[in-house]
Amino acid sequence: MATLIPTLTLSSTDATTDLLNFSITDSLNITQDVVGPSKVKLTTSDLEIGPTSYGKSYVYLKNTDDTIAINIEITDGNSAFQLAAGEFAFFPWTGTCGIVAFSASGTPYLEYAIFEA
Amino acid sequence: MATTAQITITSPDLMPGSALNIAPPVVTLTKAGVNADLDQKLSGVIKVTVGDPTEHRLGPLATEMAGDAHDIASYLYIKNTTTEDATYYIDWGIHETMIGRLYAGDWMFIPWNASDDAAEIEIQAIGGTNIIEYCLFNSDVILPTAA
């Protein structure tokens, strides 16, 4: 069993007059499969990055491209969200539905990792 | 409204002989496709109860946003603040697709584009009342018409 420690920091000096500056962390037990930090070239065709063979997991995604957006979808056909250039996401995932990624255009690279609890 | 986000993911023991240290650069949250800062920030603490209704919407619908503003990048942070055992959690999803579960202390951060009213963020409490804190950064939300 390993310990995974994700930390998110959000900051803004002008979102509101109340200064935004907080950091949140967690300590997650990882006991099953891991897809270590990986980087794949995407096209406009679906690429499955999260198969349904996984159980409860945590997913990290980052669009490493400077201009091209990457679409993230759930394999039941519903759209999920779009990672614009440079953006990242971190979320819990049940593994009951697969995760696919494809580019809005061109061939951007997606960095990702999956940690099964 | 310049808001920045940064994530780090570390583990001293995930892979033997190689400590994990994912630390991408700080990201400035902007409107889609441009460098303009976002306009609005909505945040709060909500008690999410079980029962009727079982599913709750977090954030506006696409049709509650002005003009083309709905199909742009918004950013959503959610943390389940419950300290209960693993029978208490928050299911989160987009429209009718449940994607994951936030157990005690778990959090998430995603970009979110409300492409239409069927792309809303839904949450559901399981096991009992869960209290979440959330923060939504977006732009140009208009309030629904009063009854």
Short mmCIF file of all heavy atoms in Angstrom, two decimals, chain A residues 42-47 101-103:
data_model
loop_
_atom_site.label_atom_id
_atom_site.label_comp_id
_atom_site.label_asym_id
_atom_site.label_seq_id
_atom_site.Cartn_x
_atom_site.Cartn_y
_atom_site.Cartn_z
N LEU A 42 -2.40 12.77 -28.85
CA LEU A 42 -3.80 12.57 -29.19
C LEU A 42 -4.08 13.01 -30.62
O LEU A 42 -3.35 13.82 -31.19
CB LEU A 42 -4.71 13.36 -28.24
CG LEU A 42 -4.63 13.01 -26.77
CD1 LEU A 42 -5.56 13.91 -25.97
CD2 LEU A 42 -4.97 11.55 -26.52
N THR A 43 -5.14 12.46 -31.16
CA THR A 43 -5.68 12.94 -32.43
C THR A 43 -7.14 13.28 -32.20
O THR A 43 -7.62 13.25 -31.05
CB THR A 43 -5.56 11.87 -33.53
OG1 THR A 43 -6.44 10.78 -33.21
CG2 THR A 43 -4.14 11.35 -33.64
N THR A 44 -7.86 13.52 -33.25
CA THR A 44 -9.29 13.81 -33.09
C THR A 44 -10.11 12.54 -32.91
O THR A 44 -11.32 12.61 -32.76
CB THR A 44 -9.81 14.60 -34.31
OG1 THR A 44 -9.47 13.88 -35.49
CG2 THR A 44 -9.19 15.99 -34.38
N SER A 45 -9.45 11.40 -32.92
CA SER A 45 -10.13 10.13 -32.65
C SER A 45 -10.02 9.78 -31.17
O SER A 45 -9.05 10.14 -30.50
CB SER A 45 -9.51 9.01 -33.49
OG SER A 45 -9.65 9.28 -34.86
N ASP A 46 -10.99 9.03 -30.68
CA ASP A 46 -11.00 8.66 -29.26
C ASP A 46 -9.79 7.81 -28.89
O ASP A 46 -9.42 6.88 -29.62
CB ASP A 46 -12.26 7.84 -28.94
CG ASP A 46 -13.52 8.69 -28.96
OD1 ASP A 46 -13.40 9.91 -29.17
OD2 ASP A 46 -14.61 8.14 -28.77
N LEU A 47 -9.22 8.11 -27.76
CA LEU A 47 -8.19 7.26 -27.17
C LEU A 47 -8.63 6.94 -25.75
O LEU A 47 -8.83 7.84 -24.94
CB LEU A 47 -6.83 7.95 -27.14
CG LEU A 47 -5.72 7.16 -26.44
CD1 LEU A 47 -5.35 5.91 -27.24
CD2 LEU A 47 -4.48 8.01 -26.20
N ALA A 101 -10.09 10.34 -24.39
CA ALA A 101 -9.59 11.69 -24.68
C ALA A 101 -9.40 11.82 -26.17
O ALA A 101 -9.03 10.86 -26.85
CB ALA A 101 -8.28 11.94 -23.94
N PHE A 102 -9.64 13.01 -26.69
CA PHE A 102 -9.34 13.30 -28.09
C PHE A 102 -9.14 14.80 -28.24
O PHE A 102 -9.63 15.60 -27.45
CB PHE A 102 -10.45 12.78 -29.02
CG PHE A 102 -11.81 13.37 -28.78
CD1 PHE A 102 -12.24 14.47 -29.49
CD2 PHE A 102 -12.65 12.84 -27.81
CE1 PHE A 102 -13.51 15.02 -29.29
CE2 PHE A 102 -13.91 13.38 -27.59
CZ PHE A 102 -14.34 14.47 -28.32
N SER A 103 -8.40 15.14 -29.27
CA SER A 103 -8.05 16.55 -29.44
C SER A 103 -9.17 17.29 -30.16
O SER A 103 -9.92 16.72 -30.95
CB SER A 103 -6.76 16.68 -30.23
OG SER A 103 -6.96 16.30 -31.57
#
